[in-house]
Amino acid sequence: MFGFSKRWDPHLKHCFATGGSSGAGLAFAKLLAQNGAYVFIVSRDQAKLNKALEELEAARQNSQQVFRAYSFSVNTEAGSAAAIKAASKPFDGRCPDAFSLCAGASRPGFFVEQTEESLRTGMEQTYYAQAFTALVSPMRHRKPWSSKASRLKGKIVFCSSTLGYFSMVGHSTYSPEKFAIRGLAETLQSEFMLYGIEVHVAFPGTIYSPGYEEENRVKPKVTLKIEETDEGATPEVVAKIILDGVRSGKFHITVDFIGNVFRSSTAGSTERNSYALDWVHGLIGYIALPIWRNSVDSTVLKHREEHEVYLRERGLLS
Amino acid sequence: MPSIWTSLASLALIPALFLVATRILSFKTRWDPCLKHCFVTGGSSGAGLALATLLAQNGAHVSIVARDKAKLQKALEVLETVRHNPQQIFRAYSFAVNTEQGSVAAIGAASEPFDGHCPDAYFLCAGASRPGFFVEQTEESLKAGMESTYYAQAFSALAATKAMVQQGVKGKVVFCSSILGYFSMVGYSTYSPGKFALRGLAETLQSEFMLYGIDVHIAFPGTIYSPGYEEENRCKPKITLKIEETDDGAQPEVVAKVILDGVRSGKFHISVDFIGHVFRTSTAGSSERNSYLLDWVHAVVGYIGLPTWRKMWVDNLVVKHRDEHEGYLRERGLCSVE
């Protein structure tokens, strides 16, 4: 509570951002650039990467900054290692100071229509894409923290989702992965105390990005119905809150009131941001979340008959 | 004239009373395993076998699935010793359930003695733990961890869902997560993510299966004194062992009993001991609660106790372990000399 930890400053830090060519990943990369960081973005689409690089240049603060864009697939250890190696080259092989892992995609649907392939693809795109980059970040080979106060502390920022705090109909290929990211972040937040590397994990809700439009094209009607009252946020707003959270050393970073309520209601033994304020959010959650949940369940139950027709049309009922 | 605080308190009380009332007044019929067909993965040892045995004692038909044929044979003999009535059918099947194909084949085989009717209840206990430092993991070991924690149950759930939906069976799916699905710490990067993922899946399906009348349950046991636990401790980092040295575990039979009681009384999250209840209530969020009032008590204990335990015990021990860990890394050539 009284730990006045110095705010982390991205200025002239070497920042590596996956999923950095669009959506919140790009917004975050631009914000880092605006704050004077060296920024390396990674994703698959070379065309998007080129455009993104132009946007980073537009945000340049000083002539020292280095911006690069690399096309790699980070959902394998080898791909992640190659991407980090490329990003370390301009610095004589010295690895990045901060890793922002925004790679991930959502393809909602009913569980009954999934296959082994679709479940595995969800895990690849959403969990492994972040886990393997964290795995090969050479930060893990750094000499553990010593009494030298001048040592730069490394940072890893995972991107989960409010769907890493709760779930509901339609998200069986996404929620498990977002919960898994939380599980990994919880492990590493503890384990990286051995190395002086700080772990952060963001839990944004709906982000109005190209990814969101893709997602809604396949989302089940009943899920869309339940979510129709949700408010989202633009990538820029989300990126700002995440950066603020990283700068002030927050472990879990939530982006809006609902996020705060979920965060404090599911914290368990997780390091809290504000012990007192969390109590208020937690109390609100204790009363309001079950009521909200009842209405979600009610919407699902009302959907039964329509769903039965849906299943018959697809030959999933005998 | 009521003060603003009284008004606010009453405002809070109304929904609270509403929820208490709905809980008290919903007399959920206790589920009875008698003559239900129960399908148990990981059923040849540990908690899985204990559950299978308990189900058999309660009169169920039991199909156990695992890989090791010898263990399966021995397990079948154990089931026979607790036979409740001559109608019961006990079978053991050797299948790898961490693929959809394997799970479909296992359920297909189990359905044969029942004229193709699929099982009524699926107890998915398959899983294993291989702790270690993250710094020593590889793509292969992280994937193997996800296979043995998440996929080992997810594909069985997938196959079970398709069968139950197609046949109109209003059955049950029971996942086995772990208290390491509620929190994590040093050494569990190959285990916790998968156990958290199981919770994510269970949360989705508990909602989605309201479309089919299928119940979802998920258990969060702590340490279980089983052969699996001994295996796990052989490779567990010293620091993790040290942090856990004050933990109490439970016998598989005790855990199985609590899980079955939870399934019978319709609990969604099933925690096995006091610590489990504290974690469950402190991480519930919007998850369906078992007891709105009792959960409050556990949650208050958690709000005070858990951060204290975390900072003073867990984090403190990890930080003290730094020097020893540096030596460990050097021995293995994992520390770059700077």
Side-chain angles (χ1 to χ4, degrees):
Chain A
M1 245 193 294
F2 299 109
F4 295 105
S5 47
K6 260 177 67 188
R7 275 176 74 84
W8 181 74
D9 187 5
H11 186 71
L12 294 183
K13 300 277 196 317
H14 180 187
C15 300
F16 179 89
T18 65
S21 67
S22 63
L26 174 56
F28 194 71
K30 275 159 61 177
L31 206 50
L32 290 167
Q34 277 169 347
N35 279 274
Y38 300 114
V39 183
F40 293 72
I41 54 176
V42 177
S43 79
R44 277 186 269 208
D45 189 320
Q46 190 61 58
K48 282 189 189 162
L49 283 165
N50 293 338
K51 268 195 91 184
L53 208 49
E54 288 167 22
E55 293 188 50
L56 290 184
E57 276 300 337
R60 178 181 282 280
Q61 288 298 301
N62 65 63
S63 52
Q64 279 179 278
Q65 282 173 290
V66 179
F67 302 137
R68 293 275 191 278
Y70 301 104
S71 170
F72 284 101
S73 202
V74 294
N75 62 345
T76 61
E77 188 178 6
S80 289
I84 292 172
K85 198 168 171 204
S88 307
K89 256 196 177 172
F91 294 89
D92 297 320
R94 217 182 126 239
C95 73
D97 304 302
F99 291 76
S100 153
L101 310 175
C102 293
S106 167
R107 214 178 149 68
F110 290 114
F111 189 58
V112 89
E113 293 188 282
Q114 301 312 317
T115 58
E116 173 166 343
E117 193 190 329
S118 66
L119 290 190
R120 284 191 186 278
T121 302
M123 191 62 75
E124 295 275 323
Q125 290 182 331
T126 307
Y127 175 68
Y128 290 138
Q130 299 191 24
F132 292 140
T133 313
L135 184 66
V136 301
S137 84
M139 281 195 299
R140 65 183 176 144
H141 296 303
R142 273 191 174 177
K143 188 176 154 141
W145 181 85
S146 65
S147 57
K148 294 180 191 148
S150 60
R151 280 219 70 77
L152 292 168
K153 283 191 180 200
K155 278 186 181 293
I156 291 189
V157 185
F158 290 97
C159 232
S160 179
S161 160
T162 351
L163 284 159
Y165 281 140
F166 86 97
S167 190
M168 62 177 190
V169 56
H171 291 297
S172 56
T173 54
Y174 188 71
S175 250
E177 291 75 1
K178 289 305 192 183
F179 269 75
I181 288 173
R182 180 185 178 179
L184 184 61
E186 300 284 350
T187 315
L188 300 185
Q189 188 256 354
S190 163
E191 197 161 318
F192 283 6
M193 289 182 187
L194 293 168
Y195 316 115
I197 296 169
E198 284 167 2
V199 176
H200 308 269
V201 52
F203 293 83
T206 300
I207 307 176
Y208 295 132
S209 65
Y212 179 60
E213 287 163 36
E214 265 310 299
E215 177 189 320
N216 276 354
R217 262 190 269 275
V218 297
K219 194 176 280 180
K221 267 179 70 180
V222 64
T223 312
L224 284 165
K225 174 132 189 73
I226 292 166
E227 292 178 356
E228 67 189 5
T229 51
D230 281 1
E231 268 165 33
T234 60
E236 290 70 29
V237 168
V238 170
K240 184 175 186 313
I241 296 172
I242 294 177
L243 185 56
D244 278 348
V246 172
R247 292 180 78 148
S248 49
K250 290 182 177 166
F251 172 32
H252 278 216
I253 302 167
T254 40
V255 155
D256 52 20
F257 177 70
I258 296 290
N260 289 336
V261 169
F262 269 112
R263 176 178 51 75
S264 24
S265 306
T266 60
S269 63
T270 298
E271 186 183 278
R272 289 183 180 278
N273 302 330
S274 159
Y275 194 75
L277 200 58
D278 275 12
W279 179 257
V280 176
H281 283 123
L283 184 58
I284 292 171
Y286 202 82
I287 297 165
L289 288 177
I291 297 174
W292 166 77
R293 188 61 184 206
N294 257 321
S295 88
V296 172
D297 294 350
S298 186
T299 309
V300 176
L301 286 167
K302 285 192 184 122
H303 188 71
R304 268 186 173 177
E305 277 170 27
E306 187 175 339
H307 189 62
E308 196 178 324
V309 172
Y310 178 93
L311 294 177
R312 280 198 198 289
E313 281 170 14
R314 284 153 186 77
L316 294 168
L317 284 181
S318 56
Chain B
M1 184 82 157
S3 75
I4 182 121
W5 295 112
T6 324
S7 309
L8 276 171
S10 341
L11 214 59
L13 216 51
I14 294 163
L17 285 171
F18 162 77
L19 280 151
V20 169
T22 49
R23 283 282 167 265
I24 292 175
L25 295 172
S26 71
F27 295 109
K28 284 192 194 161
T29 342
R30 273 177 76 80
W31 181 72
D32 186 5
C34 187
L35 294 182
K36 301 269 192 338
H37 180 190
C38 299
F39 180 89
V40 184
T41 66
S44 67
S45 63
L49 175 56
L51 254 173
T53 312
L54 204 51
L55 289 163
Q57 271 174 330
N58 279 273
H61 304 296
V62 181
S63 298
I64 52 176
V65 179
R67 274 188 266 211
D68 189 319
K69 287 195 170 132
K71 280 190 189 158
L72 281 165
Q73 192 49 47
K74 275 191 86 177
L76 212 49
E77 289 164 20
V78 172
L79 294 186
E80 277 299 340
T81 62
V82 298
R83 176 179 281 281
H84 194 71
N85 68 60
Q87 284 175 276
Q88 284 173 286
I89 299 173
F90 299 143
R91 293 281 190 275
Y93 303 99
S94 170
F95 285 99
V97 294
N98 64 337
T99 61
E100 188 180 8
Q101 199 180 31
S103 294
V104 167
I107 291 172
S111 307
E112 266 185 56
F114 298 85
D115 294 322
H117 287 124
C118 69
D120 304 298
Y122 300 76
F123 292 80
L124 309 177
C125 305
S129 168
R130 220 181 141 63
F133 290 115
F134 189 60
V135 112
E136 294 188 280
Q137 303 311 317
T138 59
E139 171 172 336
E140 194 190 326
S141 67
L142 286 191
K143 283 189 152 168
M146 194 55 77
E147 291 287 320
S148 62
T149 50
Y150 179 66
Y151 290 131
Q153 299 187 24
F155 294 133
S156 299
L158 186 63
T161 305
K162 290 180 179 178
M164 283 195 283
V165 166
Q166 192 172 58
Q167 297 182 18
V169 172
K170 294 193 192 313
K172 282 184 180 293
V173 178
V174 184
F175 291 98
C176 260
S177 179
S178 160
I179 203 157
L180 283 156
Y182 280 143
F183 86 99
S184 191
M185 61 177 190
V186 56
Y188 287 113
S189 54
T190 55
Y191 187 71
S192 256
K195 290 305 192 180
F196 269 73
L198 282 173
R199 180 184 177 178
L201 184 61
E203 299 286 349
T204 315
L205 301 184
Q206 189 256 352
S207 162
E208 198 161 316
F209 285 5
M210 290 182 186
L211 294 168
Y212 314 118
I214 297 172
D215 296 327
V216 176
H217 308 267
I218 175 167
F220 293 83
T223 299
I224 307 176
Y225 294 133
S226 65
Y229 179 61
E230 286 163 37
E231 265 309 300
E232 176 188 324
N233 276 354
R234 265 190 265 277
C235 53
K236 194 177 282 179
K238 265 180 70 180
I239 175 68
T240 313
L241 284 165
K242 173 122 191 80
I243 292 168
E244 292 177 352
E245 68 188 12
T246 51
D247 281 0
D248 276 333
Q251 294 297 326
E253 292 71 27
V254 170
V255 172
K257 185 174 185 312
V258 175
I259 293 176
L260 186 54
D261 277 347
V263 172
R264 292 182 77 152
S265 49
K267 289 181 177 168
F268 173 33
H269 280 218
I270 302 168
S271 41
V272 157
D273 53 19
F274 177 70
I275 296 292
H277 303 328
V278 169
F279 269 110
R280 174 176 53 76
T281 50
S282 305
T283 61
S286 64
S287 297
E288 186 185 275
R289 289 182 180 278
N290 302 331
S291 159
Y292 194 74
L293 289 178
L294 200 57
D295 276 13
W296 179 255
V297 176
H298 283 122
V300 170
V301 171
Y303 203 83
I304 300 164
L306 290 177
T308 314
W309 164 76
R310 184 66 181 204
K311 278 239 140 41
M312 316 240 95
W313 184 248
V314 181
D315 295 354
N316 194 24
L317 283 173
V318 173
V319 170
K320 282 200 181 115
H321 187 70
R322 275 177 176 172
D323 289 341
E324 188 175 335
H325 189 62
E326 189 179 338
Y328 177 93
L329 294 180
R330 285 200 190 287
E331 280 169 26
R332 284 154 184 77
L334 292 172
C335 201
S336 58
V337 180
E338 284 183 42

